[in-house]
Amino acid sequence: MIKNILTQIWNQRRANSWLFAELIIVFVLLWFCVDVLFGLFSARIQPKGYDQEHVYKVTVNCRDDQFIKMQDADSISRFWWHPLSEVIKNFKQYPGIESVCTSFGTDVYSNNTMFQGYHIDGDTTNIFTANIRYVDAEYIKTFRIPMLHSIHKNLEDKDWNAINNVNPAIVSAELADSLWGTTNVLGKKFSDYYSPNLHYKVIAVSAPQKNSDYNRYEPYIMTPYPEYIYKSQAIPSIYIRVKADADNNEFANSFIKTMSAKIHIAPFYIFDIQSMKYYKQLDDASQGVTQEVNNTILMMSFFVFNVFLGLLGTFWFRTNSRRGEIAIRMAMGSSRKQTAIHFLTEGILLLAIAALPGTIVCLNIWYADLTVTIHADATILRLSITLLISFILMTIITLIGILIPARKAMHILPAEALHEE
C-alpha cells in the first residue's frame, strides 16, 4: 500500500507542490517555537545545586533611632555582632526550626552578586572569576547542598576554621574544573588574585550551582566570613529551614508575630519573612522569565491553533475534491476503515517527505547559531528532541486535519458521489 501511495504522490507532485511548501514552512516555524520552549524547560528542570524547599528568608533591619556609627572594632563586636548573634540564637529556638544560617555575597534568587578572581598558587596568568558567597557553617545544612567530594561525609563546624592563615573553601564543580581541570581537588590550594595574601584550601567540591532556575551553571566559592565584615556594621542575609511537618501557610505570619514580640535586642527588629518560593517568583518576574515563558506558550499555542486551522482547511478541501476517488475505492470493495487508513497514511507520508527539507533548514539555523541559547546550549541532543517533538505535533495536527473531512466524505453513498463527478 505504501508503495502505491508513494507512486500516487509522485504522479500528483505538481498538485502537491504547494502543500509541500506549506508543510515545510510550518514545520520550520513550529520547530523554532518548540526549541525556545524546550530551552526554557530544560534549564528549569536542571538541579540548582541546593534545596530551597521549606526555606525562608528573614529580613532583619536596624532601628534608625538606635543606630550609632561605630569605628572601634571592639564596639562593633559588642554592640552590633553580639546582639545580632543573639537574634539568630532566638530564631533557632522557635518551634519547628531545623536550622538557621547567614550569608554575604551572591544571594539566591537575587540580583545581589559578588565576584572575585582566583588562581592556582604560583600561576597568576590564568585568572578565573567566580561568584563568592561568605557563609557560616550552617549554610550547607540549611540549603542541603550536595557535595561531589568532601573531606567528611557531613562537614562539621571545626572544618570552617582557618588553619595557618589558610581559609577553608567549598568550590563548585565549575570552579574546580576551571582551576585544575578536574573536580577531584580535595586539599588543593589556591589564592585570591586581588588580595594575594588570601589563600584557600579546598575542603569540599559542591554540585554545580546556579543562582536561579533558568540561569546557567556558574563557578561558585563558599568560604567563611572575612575579617573586614566583622569590622563593619552590616546585616547578613538570614535563612531558616523549617521542618516539613511544621511548614504551612500560617508559618510566616505566626513566626513574625511571635518573634517580633519576643525579640527586643537593640538595635535590631524583624522586618519581614518570606519563603524562597516568593523570591523565586520575584526573580523570575524581574528577569522577565515569567513574561518570556508566558509569551512563548501563548505564541506557540496561537501558532499551533492557526496551523491546525490551516492544515484542516487544506486537507478538507483536498479530501472533498477527491470524493470521486473515495467513492470508487468504496465501490471496488474498500471499507470505510481501509479508505480512512489510506488517506491517513498518505498524509503522514506527505508530512514525512516535507519534513526532510524542513529538517535541513532547521539544521542550517542550528549550525548558524540562530537559535535562542540564553538558558541552554544548542546541543545535538536538544536539536534531535525538538525535531522529534515538532514532527509528532505536526503528525497529530495532520491526522486530525485529514480524519474529520475524510470521515464526512466516506459517509456519502458511492453512487451519489460518482453521480456528482
Side-chain angles (χ1 to χ4, degrees), residues 106-270:
T106 300
D107 239 348
V108 177
Y109 293 132
S110 171
N111 293 324
N112 297 328
T113 57
M114 182 183 293
F115 296 92
Q116 192 67 290
Y118 300 96
H119 65 90
I120 300 174
D121 293 348
D123 182 9
T124 57
T125 58
N126 294 313
I127 311 301
F128 298 97
T129 303
N131 289 276
I132 186 166
R133 186 175 288 155
Y134 298 114
V135 301
D136 58 22
E138 287 286 309
Y139 189 88
I140 308 303
K141 178 182 177 182
T142 302
F143 279 92
R144 296 181 179 175
I145 299 175
M147 299 297 168
L148 302 180
H149 306 284
S150 180
I151 56 173
H152 299 127
K153 184 177 181 179
N154 296 310
L155 292 174
E156 303 172 1
D157 291 349
K158 64 180 181 180
D159 298 323
W160 218 233
N161 298 324
I163 300 176
N164 298 327
N165 294 323
V166 178
N167 296 315
I170 299 172
V171 297
S172 68
E174 289 75 22
L175 182 56
D177 188 65
S178 298
L179 287 170
W180 294 283
T182 179
T183 59
N184 192 9
V185 295
L186 292 180
K188 292 188 178 295
K189 296 181 180 180
F190 62 103
S191 300
D192 189 307
Y193 177 73
Y194 298 101
S195 301
N197 293 326
L198 275 178
H199 304 286
Y200 301 92
K201 181 180 179 180
V202 179
I203 63 170
V205 179
S206 75
Q209 301 281 309
K210 57 180 181 177
N211 198 33
S212 64
D213 293 353
Y214 296 98
N215 285 4
R216 290 172 171 269
Y217 289 127
E218 297 179 10
Y220 271 84
I221 175 175
M222 286 169 278
T223 188
Y225 291 164
E227 191 64 30
Y228 74 83
I229 287 183
Y230 291 110
K231 295 179 180 179
S232 63
Q233 292 176 263
I235 301 177
S237 297
I238 303 173
Y239 300 96
I240 61 174
R241 171 169 286 280
V242 183
K243 295 177 181 178
D245 56 355
D247 192 11
N248 53 57
N249 294 333
E250 297 300 321
F251 174 82
N253 292 333
S254 176
F255 178 87
I256 197 169
K257 182 178 179 180
T258 303
M259 299 308 294
S260 295
K262 183 177 180 180
I263 293 178
H264 299 285
I265 305 174
F268 302 107
Y269 69 96
I270 300 175

Side-chain angles (χ1 to χ4, degrees), residues 59-64 66-67 70 76 78-88 91 233-236 238 259-260 263-271:
T59 304
V60 173
N61 282 354
C62 172
R63 295 181 177 87
D64 293 336
Q66 296 185 29
F67 180 81
M70 294 171 281
I76 294 175
R78 181 178 178 183
F79 296 107
W80 188 267
W81 286 102
H82 179 71
L84 187 58
S85 66
E86 290 298 316
V87 171
I88 295 171
F91 289 168
Q233 292 176 263
I235 301 177
I238 303 173
M259 299 308 294
S260 295
I263 293 178
H264 299 285
I265 305 174
F268 302 107
Y269 69 96
I270 300 175
F271 178 75

Side-chain angles (χ1 to χ4, degrees), residues 400-420:
I400 296 174
I402 294 173
L403 190 59
I404 294 175
R407 289 187 64 181
K408 184 177 180 180
M410 284 184 295
H411 279 83
I412 190 173
L413 294 174
E416 183 180 342
L418 291 173
H419 177 73
E420 290 180 1

Side-chain angles (χ1 to χ4, degrees), residues 48-50 52 55 137 188 263 268 270 280 284 287 317 319 343 356 410:
K48 295 180 290 295
Y50 51 87
Q52 84 281 10
V55 175
K188 292 188 178 295
I263 293 178
F268 302 107
I270 300 175
K280 168 192 159 14
D284 288 348
Q287 293 188 36
F317 174 80
T319 304
F343 277 87
L356 292 176
M410 284 184 295

Side-chain angles (χ1 to χ4, degrees), residues 20-58:
F20 278 120
E22 179 185 359
L23 289 174
I24 291 170
I25 294 171
V26 168
F27 183 84
V28 174
L29 293 175
L30 181 62
W31 166 79
F32 192 84
C33 292
V34 171
D35 184 75
V36 173
L37 205 58
F38 183 84
L40 286 165
F41 177 75
S42 59
R44 175 67 181 83
I45 64 175
Q46 280 182 327
K48 295 180 290 295
Y50 51 87
D51 178 14
Q52 84 281 10
E53 192 72 19
H54 307 301
V55 175
Y56 291 77
K57 183 177 182 180
V58 183

